[in-house]
């Protein structure tokens, strides 16, 4: 949408969808927090193994077009997860004496950095190919009623799915965000 000059509309759709998802998850959390806490306390090794297996199947789901790239990215992710203290013996792994690495590598700064790196490489490639693209004119049109009507089912479905996946102990917001984004993207391409 940004390439078509609809930046304000894209941002307003994202903000409204995020608000709907946050509102749904807050209501569900208020309603089921005590039961969810009892469920989380019963998590043992088999459940954590199933959760890890679920995370690996998410890799296959998200990278359906190029499975080799997905498996390579998953392998690199698993290697990055080994940095820090071993959860059983508390022995430092791949920390190289740096105390900041004892708690592991934070996912969010890494994702932001990878996004910035890939965007920088895309921009360098565009400059190297000397394709001078005239920047589109941006309109300031925000969200319309038709946009809300069109995005509401997907936003509610993604909000409920994200709440469900995010409530699984160990899965958290990162996995639920990736799954919901992938499903919304797949739903959008299937409906067209």
């Amino acid at each position: 949408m940004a390439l078509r000059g609809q930046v304000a509309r894209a941002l307003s759709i994202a903000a409204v969808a995020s608000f709907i998802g946050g509102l749904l998850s807050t209501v569900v959390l208020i309603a089921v927090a005590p039961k969810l806490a009892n469920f989380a306390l019963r998590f043992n090794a088999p459940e954590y193994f199933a959760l890890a297996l679920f995370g690996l199947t998410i890799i296959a789901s998200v990278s359906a077009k190029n499975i080799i790239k997905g498996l390579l990215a998953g392998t690199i992710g698993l290697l990055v997860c080994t940095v820090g203290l071993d959860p059983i013996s508390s022995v430092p792994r791949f920390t190289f004496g740096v105390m900041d690495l004892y708690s592991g590598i934070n996912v969010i700064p890494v994702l932001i950095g990878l996004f910035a790196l890939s965007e920088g490489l895309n921009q360098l490639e565009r400059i190297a190919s000397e394709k001078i693209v005239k920047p589109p004119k941006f309109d300031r049109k925000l969200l319309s009623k038709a946009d809300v009507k069109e995005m509401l089912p997907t936003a509610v479905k993604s909000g409920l799915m994200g709440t469900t996946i995010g409530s699984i102990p160990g899965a958290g917001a990162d996995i639920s965000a990736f799954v919901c984004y992938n499903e919304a993207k797949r739903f959008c391409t299937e409906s067209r």
Side-chain angles (χ1 to χ4, degrees), residues 121-182:
L121 292 174
N122 283 338
Q123 294 298 327
L124 285 174
E125 181 182 22
R126 185 181 63 84
I127 290 170
S129 66
E130 297 180 350
K131 290 181 183 175
I132 305 299
V133 179
K134 186 178 178 183
K137 293 186 178 185
F138 297 113
D139 64 355
R140 298 185 186 273
K141 181 183 173 193
L142 294 175
L143 201 60
S144 67
K145 289 181 182 179
D147 290 333
V148 173
K149 187 177 178 183
E150 183 180 343
M151 65 158 273
L152 194 61
T154 305
V156 170
K157 179 180 126 181
S158 295
L160 291 173
M161 190 183 322
T163 301
T164 304
I165 296 170
S167 66
I168 298 171
D174 298 330
I175 293 176
S176 66
F178 281 121
V179 171
C180 291
Y181 172 75
N182 185 51

Side-chain angles (χ1 to χ4, degrees), residues 99-134:
M99 292 293 287
D100 291 334
L101 292 178
Y102 275 35
S103 61
I105 297 176
N106 278 333
V107 175
I108 301 301
V110 170
L111 289 177
I112 291 171
L114 287 175
F115 174 75
L117 178 69
S118 67
E119 185 61 29
L121 292 174
N122 283 338
Q123 294 298 327
L124 285 174
E125 181 182 22
R126 185 181 63 84
I127 290 170
S129 66
E130 297 180 350
K131 290 181 183 175
I132 305 299
V133 179
K134 186 178 178 183

